[in-house]
Amino acid sequence: MSTILAIDSTTELLSISISENEKILSEIKDDKSQKHMVNIIKDIDHVLKEANKAINDIDIYGVNLGPGDFTGGRIGISVIKIFSLLSNKPIFGFNCLDIFSTGCSLKEINNMQDNIQDNIEKELNIVNQTNIIKSYEKPNHINNNINNNCSKNDINDIYIIPLKDVRNNEIYFNVYKLVSNNLSSLNFKDDSQHISKNYHNTINNVNEICDNNSNSNKAINFNNKLQSLNQLIIQFKINENKYFLFKKFNNILIKNNEIKDKLTQVIKDIINNNDDENDENINNGNIHKGNDINKNNFKNQENLNNKINKKVFKNNKATIIFTGDAIKSYKDIISKLIDDLVILNESQYVKNKNIENLGNKNIDKNSNLANKDKFGYELIDLKIDEDNIKPFSKYINLLAYYNFINNINSLPIEPIYVRDFIIFGKNKDE
Amino acid sequence: MNDSTLILGIETSCDDTCAAVVRNGKEILSNIVSSQNEIHEKYGGIVPEIASRKHIEMIDIIIKEALLVANIQPHEINAVAVTNRPGLLGSLLVGVGASKAFCYYYKIPLIAINHLKAHIFANALAYDSIDFNSQQEYISLIVSGGHSSLYLLKKDLILEEIGHTVDDAVGEAFDKVARYLNLGYPGGPIIDKISKNANPHFIEFTRPMIESGDFNFSFSGIKTALIYKTKKHPELMKKENIANLAASFQAAAVDVLVQKTIKACKKYNINKVLISGGVAANSKLRDEFNYAAQKENIEIYIPPIKLCMDNAAMVASLGYFELKKGNISNLDIDVYSRTDF
């Protein structure tokens, strides 16, 4: 059993939580003052006591590296670094976009689980190579229900677009794909082991795009052809389903006046399944795991021979969710973007009956955006997740635990800066 | 308190990440300084944001190094002393955050330290004869890139400011003059070096505020005089004159410091002077003070150069004396860019 302390101090809300494995024991969201320096130890003490733990019970530390508030971020990082130094326990640091998308994924998974059956007691397991089979005991009734009620077509592809307002009229974002993988609907028996084994040992052929994880956290400029990254961020197992969250690209920095154009382009790509090739890699378990510095084992091609027909995974429907704090600061631009996307839709027929939230919109296959020559989704739901505008620490707990059990190397524990520091005045080098 | 009190000192108020272990306020077991001079050199001065970025990278490494060199296990530390004022906020909070975590982890006392006061305690490390527990009072001059002030150090470690610079700190003026003369950064050591074989009477600058009757300084005036003079007479900026200009500036700045300090000694009838801060490394300043000391029958204490610069040993040393007096801070202390003791 691993006890995890996670901190996010990069926003005006100081968020600290304790978990035991993936189970959150206590959590504090301190928004009373912006004085993180003053409150941080008191708040850590509070969550520890609430969880009935002491600081030297902590086995794993997790922290949000940003981007975010410079001052606040450094307070959390300096505290965590010293705890780790004194206890000789690992720290895992994360990009805020990973944290946003993990939070958003969990919410969506919960929604989906509700759709399958309301009465299922939700159970979260972060998929672990070693205990995936033995730790989870299948409750029979759940298994039956899934077999009966849940066909392949009921599972959406979910794209999560976390947008982080990094000030200076710029937005930092990425696209994440949440692949849901109903074990009982797959054509092969042992995909859990297959995928776990492989992402440890393999590196995507296109790995020159991303040599290490710190690269993937560097913002790149948006260009027409975003090269795929498909870095596995986290796997969940909830009830009988497994979920894989992939980061699609290197993180992207755009100007606020480009939001509409660039996001429209991204969505167009999603609609037209321009990432087919990459999906094939995902589905074959040929997953590039950017954090894994140990690349020596990449010879293990045998497992790749276990080809899976990618159409097994092909879903007709996708959901695109915007999340992150920029959906608040750029609310008007984002709503306009969604409205415009829907107006482009030739057919006003709404196929999806499951839209709950007001403001959810959808695009269908007849849309102007869809390229009819390519195989695309037939229906796209557009959503805004307004609950997830802070990189809450409880999602860092999950990410840290997942990285820990899978022995994934952490990012260097330093704040993430989206742009180089530009000095006023003259630089002698120039 | 037993006879061996180990204090971990942490200092991140400006551009150097420092950690030190000091026993009983006197014995330095380790004194690690990670200087950022090379980084700031190309900008001709300290860039606060860059300083903060380096601190957060280095803080745990430097603390680990200080413990290793001292051959002390972290749990043997009795208290942590950390600079929380005055300084660059973004820099200070890295050291203070780390110190709070250290103290919380081992449930040991945290001592919040005034950076300027700590400079004075560099002398406690350097001179056995200085006993801060006695009733002796001192005049103290702190001269650095950020500060130039005269203090009265009264018994019970109480510090009273009796004078300060009204514009630039003396080190800041050195940096600005060095930049104007295209000498590079940091200005103090460069000007010190090239002045050694130069003529300090090349230009006799007026000594600003020398007759002001108080103990305040002005260094910006000397700098401005130099700039105006050379603008008016461009031939002064010839290569062979640069060292003479630097030496003349240095002579004027040092002269003001010496004269005002001696005046303070006379007014308060104190004959012991503690000098500290980065500019106390300046050889002209050391020479002039030693000369004046002999003439005026005053005892001058200047720590060795390494202890003049920002370091954590002085923080740990002051921490020891504050701890003995029971001056312990809570873990909710904040950082302050300015302070009045």
Side-chain angles (χ1 to χ4, degrees):
Chain A
M1 199 63 95
S2 301
T3 311
I4 304 159
L5 166 64
I7 298 182
D8 168 51
S9 57
T10 64
T11 72
E12 71 282 0
L13 183 132
L14 178 59
S15 158
I16 304 174
S17 47
I18 307 283
S19 68
E20 217 161 48
N21 292 358
E22 66 274 62
K23 188 176 171 225
I24 305 297
L25 300 179
S26 60
E27 185 187 8
I28 192 167
K29 291 173 184 170
D30 183 349
D31 60 353
K32 288 195 182 69
S33 90
Q34 297 200 8
K35 283 273 169 204
H36 293 351
M37 185 80 254
V38 171
N39 296 330
I40 191 160
I41 297 290
K42 187 187 73 198
D43 288 343
I44 291 171
D45 193 53
H46 178 87
V47 286
L48 280 168
K49 283 192 173 129
E50 207 168 274
N52 210 10
K53 300 279 179 192
I55 186 69
N56 39 18
D57 293 334
I58 301 296
D59 304 303
I60 303 162
Y61 294 95
V63 68
N64 179 9
L65 301 175
D69 178 36
F70 286 0
T71 305
R74 283 183 196 124
I75 292 167
I77 292 171
S78 67
V79 166
I80 284 277
K81 268 187 150 185
I82 299 306
F83 284 153
S84 162
L85 171 74
L86 299 178
S87 60
N88 203 20
K89 298 283 165 57
I91 320 177
F92 293 91
F94 302 97
N95 189 299
C96 74
L97 298 179
D98 294 352
I99 302 166
F100 280 134
S101 51
T102 300
C104 188
S105 300
L106 271 179
K107 192 178 162 192
E108 283 310 304
I109 291 168
N110 283 340
N111 285 345
M112 279 190 277
Q113 296 282 315
D114 282 344
N115 289 345
I116 294 168
Q117 201 203 38
D118 285 340
N119 298 328
I120 294 175
E121 200 188 323
K122 281 167 204 143
E123 185 176 342
L124 172 66
N125 273 319
I126 293 178
V127 176
N128 176 348
Q129 185 183 4
T130 49
N131 72 7
I132 181 167
I133 304 300
K134 65 185 179 218
S135 75
Y136 184 74
E137 286 178 30
K138 258 186 252 174
N140 283 330
H141 68 280
I142 295 176
N143 196 27
N144 293 337
N145 277 325
I146 288 168
N147 279 334
N148 295 340
N149 298 346
C150 184
S151 75
K152 164 172 83 72
N153 290 334
D154 286 325
I155 302 171
N156 272 354
D157 278 350
I158 294 175
Y159 293 88
I160 297 166
I161 306 183
L163 302 157
K164 170 75 188 168
D165 181 356
V166 289
R167 300 184 190 171
N168 213 17
N169 298 325
E170 286 179 312
I171 278 191
Y172 187 61
F173 82 101
N174 208 325
V175 178
Y176 292 73
K177 187 174 184 184
L178 180 66
V179 182
S180 51
N181 195 343
N182 185 335
L183 296 184
S184 55
S185 73
L186 295 179
N187 285 352
F188 57 95
K189 290 170 194 167
D190 198 12
D191 89 300
S192 57
Q193 283 181 348
H194 172 78
I195 289 178
S196 304
K197 232 183 249 163
N198 273 289
Y199 79 75
H200 273 288
N201 297 334
T202 60
I203 286 164
N204 198 322
N205 292 332
V206 291
N207 70 10
E208 53 273 15
I209 297 162
C210 170
D211 287 321
N212 56 51
N213 203 24
S214 62
N215 254 357
S216 73
N217 280 287
K218 240 177 218 164
I220 56 158
N221 288 324
F222 192 97
N223 50 33
N224 288 345
K225 255 196 151 343
L226 285 172
Q227 285 182 297
S228 69
L229 178 68
N230 279 323
Q231 180 190 349
L232 181 62
I233 298 298
I234 191 167
Q235 272 175 277
F236 310 100
K237 183 168 158 232
I238 295 181
N239 295 328
E240 198 54 10
N241 290 330
K242 282 205 301 173
Y243 301 90
F244 304 85
L245 182 66
F246 294 96
K247 183 180 198 147
K248 299 296 286 180
F249 313 112
N250 286 324
N251 299 330
I252 302 155
L253 189 64
I254 52 169
K255 287 272 172 208
N256 60 4
N257 57 13
E258 300 174 318
I259 294 175
K260 210 178 146 252
D261 287 353
K262 303 301 187 193
L263 289 186
T264 304
Q265 191 183 331
V266 166
I267 290 163
K268 225 170 171 177
D269 286 356
I270 293 171
I271 295 171
N272 294 315
N273 270 10
N274 281 356
D275 54 350
D276 262 359
E277 257 175 62
N278 313 319
D279 285 354
E280 191 173 6
N281 285 322
I282 294 172
N283 296 338
N284 289 337
N286 184 7
I287 293 156
H288 169 54
K289 192 170 58 57
N291 325 39
D292 195 351
I293 292 162
N294 181 8
K295 292 174 180 171
N296 303 331
N297 299 331
F298 178 55
K299 293 290 171 211
N300 195 357
Q301 289 287 346
E302 287 170 272
N303 293 310
L304 301 182
N305 297 334
N306 186 6
K307 288 272 181 192
I308 309 150
N309 181 352
K310 73 179 178 188
K311 283 192 176 160
V312 172
F313 290 90
K314 188 58 82 181
N315 292 309
N316 294 328
K317 215 180 90 186
T319 305
I320 299 174
I321 307 162
F322 297 96
T323 187
D325 63 0
I327 60 169
K328 274 240 157 110
S329 39
Y330 293 104
K331 197 172 182 177
D332 294 347
I333 298 179
I334 308 284
S335 339
K336 181 86 170 38
L337 166 79
I338 290 180
D339 285 347
D340 287 357
L341 285 171
V342 175
I343 288 165
L344 285 169
N345 189 348
E346 285 170 4
S347 155
Q348 296 298 315
Y349 174 60
V350 178
K351 282 182 183 173
N352 184 3
K353 296 165 201 155
N354 288 330
I355 299 172
E356 294 144 344
N357 301 344
L358 216 69
N360 285 352
K361 304 287 171 59
N362 62 30
I363 305 170
D364 78 5
K365 211 189 172 183
N366 300 317
S367 158
N368 291 344
L369 291 173
N371 180 343
K372 292 179 183 69
D373 298 335
K374 290 192 180 182
F375 182 80
Y377 293 103
E378 288 178 12
L379 189 72
I380 306 272
D381 285 352
L382 297 169
K383 283 191 189 176
I384 292 179
D385 177 8
E386 284 182 288
D387 301 335
N388 189 33
I389 54 161
K390 293 275 188 288
F392 293 121
S393 60
K394 59 184 172 188
Y395 306 128
I396 306 173
N397 285 75
L398 298 181
L399 285 162
Y401 178 63
Y402 175 76
N403 280 20
F404 175 74
I405 56 178
N406 290 299
N407 199 18
I408 299 171
N409 290 315
S410 170
L411 295 174
I413 306 301
E414 284 158 24
I416 292 168
Y417 306 105
V418 290
R419 46 185 104 79
D420 287 334
F421 182 71
I422 300 159
I423 186 97
F424 297 108
K426 226 167 44 181
N427 181 344
K428 271 191 181 173
D429 289 350
E430 290 159 7
Chain B
M1 197 117 345
N2 57 25
D3 55 352
S4 172
T5 304
L6 291 170
I7 310 271
L8 172 68
I10 296 174
E11 151 70 43
T12 58
S13 66
C14 193
D15 62 331
D16 295 330
T17 318
C18 317
V21 179
V22 173
R23 179 179 275 133
N24 294 339
K26 288 275 188 188
E27 186 191 345
I28 301 175
L29 303 185
S30 63
N31 189 12
I32 311 296
V33 177
S34 159
S35 169
Q36 302 178 6
N37 271 351
E38 283 172 28
I39 303 158
H40 297 283
E41 197 179 348
K42 65 176 178 183
Y43 302 114
I46 292 162
V47 184
E49 176 55 25
I50 294 177
S52 307
R53 290 183 180 198
K54 291 312 280 184
H55 283 309
I56 194 75
E57 252 175 58
M58 297 304 292
I59 186 72
D60 53 331
I61 300 167
I62 296 298
I63 291 174
K64 194 176 175 184
E65 179 82 3
L67 293 165
L68 271 176
V69 171
N71 196 19
I72 294 290
Q73 294 298 314
H75 64 82
E76 295 177 70
I77 296 292
N78 297 100
V80 178
V82 64
T83 304
N84 80 325
R85 66 195 191 280
L88 304 170
L89 291 179
S91 295
L92 284 169
L93 57 86
V94 174
V96 174
S99 307
K100 286 181 177 186
F102 200 109
C103 292
Y104 181 73
Y105 195 86
Y106 287 117
K107 311 278 178 269
I108 55 175
L110 175 70
I111 305 145
I113 296 295
N114 179 317
H115 176 77
L116 297 176
K117 204 169 171 184
H119 266 303
I120 298 171
F121 281 74
N123 283 294
L125 293 163
Y127 300 99
D128 277 342
S129 58
I130 296 178
D131 180 5
F132 287 112
N133 293 319
S134 75
Q135 299 298 300
Q136 176 68 47
E137 294 191 338
Y138 300 89
I139 293 291
S140 176
L141 174 69
I142 297 172
V143 277
S144 71
H147 310 278
S148 302
S149 306
L150 264 174
Y151 298 96
L152 184 60
L153 179 62
K154 302 198 263 195
K155 57 190 179 189
D156 291 331
L157 309 182
I158 293 166
L159 208 53
E160 183 190 316
E161 189 183 273
I162 54 175
H164 59 262
T165 177
V166 295
D167 39 53
D168 289 355
V170 61
E172 192 181 349
F174 269 93
D175 283 345
K176 286 176 177 171
V177 168
R179 202 169 358 168
Y180 177 72
L181 299 176
N182 283 320
L183 295 170
Y185 172 89
I190 301 168
I191 289 179
D192 189 7
K193 196 176 160 199
I194 66 164
S195 297
K196 283 203 168 116
N197 299 314
N199 175 16
H201 305 292
F202 183 66
I203 298 174
E204 291 291 350
F205 291 110
T206 339
R207 277 43 172 167
M209 299 182 74
I210 204 85
E211 299 299 337
S212 64
D214 56 21
F215 299 105
N216 290 341
F217 315 103
S218 166
F219 298 102
S220 182
I222 312 177
K223 174 200 72 190
T224 314
L226 183 144
I227 293 171
Y228 275 129
K229 199 109 188 171
T230 51
K231 288 260 157 77
K232 207 171 167 189
H233 307 286
E235 70 278 8
L236 291 175
M237 286 293 271
K238 278 182 191 158
K239 210 176 174 186
E240 64 267 26
N241 290 334
I242 295 293
N244 292 334
L245 283 171
S248 301
F249 163 79
Q250 177 178 266
V254 167
D255 193 29
V256 172
L257 290 168
V258 173
Q259 288 201 42
K260 291 262 173 170
T261 306
I262 301 296
K263 278 185 183 168
C265 287
K266 286 181 177 158
K267 179 175 174 192
Y268 292 94
N269 198 20
I270 292 170
N271 74 337
K272 288 179 196 282
V273 178
L274 307 174
I275 299 175
S276 49
V279 181
N282 183 283
S283 61
K284 175 79 173 170
L285 179 134
R286 286 169 172 253
D287 291 348
E288 291 295 319
F289 264 108
N290 286 330
Y291 176 73
Q294 282 178 1
K295 213 170 83 183
E296 308 282 346
N297 195 22
I298 287 171
E299 289 175 38
I300 298 280
Y301 297 91
I302 308 181
I305 288 170
K306 196 176 176 198
L307 292 175
C308 285
M309 317 303 267
D310 284 356
N311 67 84
M314 67 188 193
V315 175
S317 175
L318 174 56
Y320 173 78
F321 293 101
E322 298 280 18
L323 180 69
K324 282 197 108 177
K325 287 177 57 211
N327 292 339
I328 294 168
S329 308
N330 291 325
L331 294 184
D332 60 0
I333 55 162
D334 206 349
V335 295
Y336 305 94
S337 61
R338 292 169 179 277
T339 177
D340 2 294
F341 300 94

